[in-house]
Amino acid sequence: MAPIPGSGLAKGLAVTLRTMTKKSVTAQYPDAQPDLPPRTRGVIGLFEENCTVCMLCARECPDWCIYIDSHKETVPAATPGGRERSRNVLDRFAIDFSLCMYCGICIEVCPFDALFWSPEFEYAETDIRDLTHERDKLREWMWTVPAPPALDPGAEEPKELAAARKTADKLAAQQAPPVTEPHADEQARAAEQPTRPQGDSKQQTDQPNPDRPKPGDSAPGHLKSGDSTPDQPKPVDSTPDQPKPDQPKPGQEGSE
């Protein structure tokens, strides 16, 4: 179907009319600060404690706007007879934002998470030479870095938080007072003592119980060895004893 002539012009005029009827809202900067998204590329913040002076950020920077100076110092051995170690100590970390093109390569290649994006953007200067900021200023911008977005319910914990929690637990375990264990002799003595049931005193356990059957006696109502039925009381005969016919009566033994 061929389009109706002038339909495009009518659609454009409709958009213009809808926009003209809406009230325009102007943010009065700097009185009203803009609501920036969390991933805004403003400046680069430095977390100095994580920096190991590996120089990867300075090597990968396409503009060569990162300046790093360091020196080596010797760390004494942690254990007796151990070997001394040397480590790099950061002296200077500066970024020239007059050359930076905000590509974010330095943040991506940092293996120890020492560089972060901050949404801070109010750092204009009248002199271009003042746009080179040292590590003190970069550390101040670090505290304006927004928190990372929440993870999915089934996602793993970030390795930074896991390492920090492991270090905190280790320090807490070292600062906790040691648990005193009982002496070995006391443990052996406690193991040699016989255990008595609770609520029974020594006198009760030593005295014999009259109601308790002796060894070898069977309890009433129980079967004895060789019996097929339990012991039953014999019935009492109420009739007087009658002499048996085979036995003589008293007084007749002599007559015979």
Side-chain angles (χ1 to χ4, degrees):
M1 182 178 179
I4 300 174
S7 60
L9 178 62
K11 291 181 180 180
L13 291 177
V15 174
T16 303
L17 291 176
R18 286 198 303 267
T19 305
M20 291 176 60
T21 56
K22 292 181 180 179
K23 183 181 179 180
S24 61
V25 178
T26 303
Q28 301 297 330
Y29 178 82
D31 297 334
Q33 293 291 332
D35 187 11
L36 300 175
R39 299 183 64 181
T40 299
R41 295 189 176 188
V43 290
I44 299 174
L46 171 65
F47 192 56
E48 187 176 344
E49 285 75 8
N50 287 355
C51 182
T52 60
V53 200
C54 62
M55 305 293 292
L56 281 177
C57 55
R59 293 194 194 102
E60 299 296 333
C61 179
D63 292 334
W64 293 88
C65 62
I66 300 177
Y67 311 111
I68 300 176
D69 293 333
S70 64
H71 72 278
K72 289 187 176 182
E73 67 178 15
T74 303
V75 180
T79 58
R83 187 181 62 179
E84 295 181 351
R85 298 180 180 272
S86 62
R87 66 175 181 179
N88 294 326
V89 180
L90 184 65
D91 294 332
R92 184 194 182 199
F93 195 106
I95 299 178
D96 188 357
F97 285 96
S98 64
L99 298 177
C100 180
M101 63 179 185
Y102 305 93
C103 62
I105 294 179
C106 58
I107 298 176
E108 294 177 2
V109 300
C110 181
F112 301 103
D113 293 331
L115 299 175
F116 297 88
W117 277 118
S118 169
E120 185 68 29
F121 64 94
E122 297 176 329
Y123 56 95
E125 300 290 346
T126 56
D127 191 351
I128 193 174
R129 292 173 294 183
D130 296 336
L131 288 175
T132 302
H133 297 288
E134 301 293 334
R135 62 177 182 177
D136 296 336
K137 187 64 176 180
L138 299 179
R139 186 177 180 84
E140 292 180 7
W141 283 332
M142 179 63 202
W143 311 126
T144 61
V145 175
L151 299 175
D152 295 337
E156 296 181 358
E157 186 181 23
K159 59 181 180 180
E160 297 84 2
L161 296 180
R165 184 175 292 105
K166 183 178 180 180
T167 304
D169 295 342
K170 185 177 180 181
L171 292 176
Q174 292 177 356
Q175 296 176 359
V179 180
T180 58
E181 297 182 356
H183 198 266
D185 297 341
E186 297 181 0
Q187 294 181 355
R189 193 180 302 111
E192 292 176 357
Q193 293 180 357
T195 57
R196 298 191 181 96
Q198 297 181 358
D200 295 343
S201 61
K202 184 177 181 181
Q203 297 179 358
Q204 292 177 352
T205 56
D206 295 342
Q207 294 179 359
N209 190 356
D211 298 334
R212 185 178 301 171
K214 297 181 180 180
D217 296 345
S218 59
H222 287 229
L223 292 176
K224 296 181 180 180
S225 59
D227 296 344
S228 59
T229 58
D231 297 339
Q232 299 292 340
K234 296 181 179 181
V236 179
D237 191 1
S238 59
T239 59
D241 297 337
Q242 298 292 336
K244 295 182 181 181
D246 299 340
Q247 296 180 355
K249 296 180 180 180
Q252 297 180 359
E253 297 176 357
S255 60
E256 295 179 357

